[in-house]
Amino acid sequence: MFAEINKDAMSALPFAINTIGESKKQPDMIRPAGFNYHHLIWVTKGSGVFETGGKTFVLGSGEGIFMRKGVPHSYRGDDYSTMWFTFAMNSSTLDFIGVGDYLVFRAPDNLCSEAMQLMTFANGNS
């Protein structure tokens, strides 16, 4: 499942989700120039190898990574599932709260259910 939020609304908001989705079988991804938006992705099943900032992370179910827009990264694995969202936000806000180019995290237990609710809402099935 994948949803893309109305881009016209994004310029007026301090934080705006651009895309949200789920990959039951995550394909390999190589982004030498990063992505156009800040990117939060977490593993929901299995494990994947994520590379950014010259470091390699093996992330398993319930673990994730945030990467700022434009930060080169890649991820791969044999059989794993992910959920993600991308968002627009002024980079100075991330600077102010001390977030670097990437951040590895442990996903809260309710993140998947909250993301599914947001996908339903974004698809107009409130």
Side-chain angles (χ1 to χ4, degrees), residues 18-81:
N18 174 260
T19 64
I20 186 165
E22 176 180 32
S23 290
K24 296 286 187 184
K25 183 164 175 51
Q26 176 63 56
D28 293 351
M29 193 68 59
I30 300 171
R31 293 190 171 121
F35 194 67
N36 296 336
Y37 299 99
H38 304 301
H39 187 191
L40 191 87
I41 183 170
W42 64 99
V43 178
T44 57
K45 179 183 153 205
S47 64
V49 178
F50 294 75
E51 295 179 353
T52 190
K55 295 189 180 179
T56 301
F57 305 95
V58 177
L59 302 180
S61 184
E63 297 175 313
I65 189 167
F66 159 79
M67 293 155 295
R68 281 191 188 217
K69 69 178 182 176
V71 171
H73 63 271
S74 66
Y75 38 96
R76 66 187 184 282
D78 290 330
D79 186 19
Y80 71 113
S81 303

Side-chain angles (χ1 to χ4, degrees), residues 82-122:
T82 63
M83 292 186 81
W84 79 91
F85 65 89
T86 63
F87 62 97
M89 174 185 228
N90 190 314
S91 292
S92 63
T93 303
L94 295 171
D95 293 339
F96 180 76
I97 60 176
V99 176
D101 285 346
Y102 65 90
L103 173 70
V104 175
F105 65 93
R106 181 87 189 139
D109 292 339
N110 63 338
L111 187 57
C112 289
S113 63
E114 298 292 333
M116 291 300 286
Q117 288 178 341
L118 187 55
M119 275 193 284
T120 299
F121 176 75

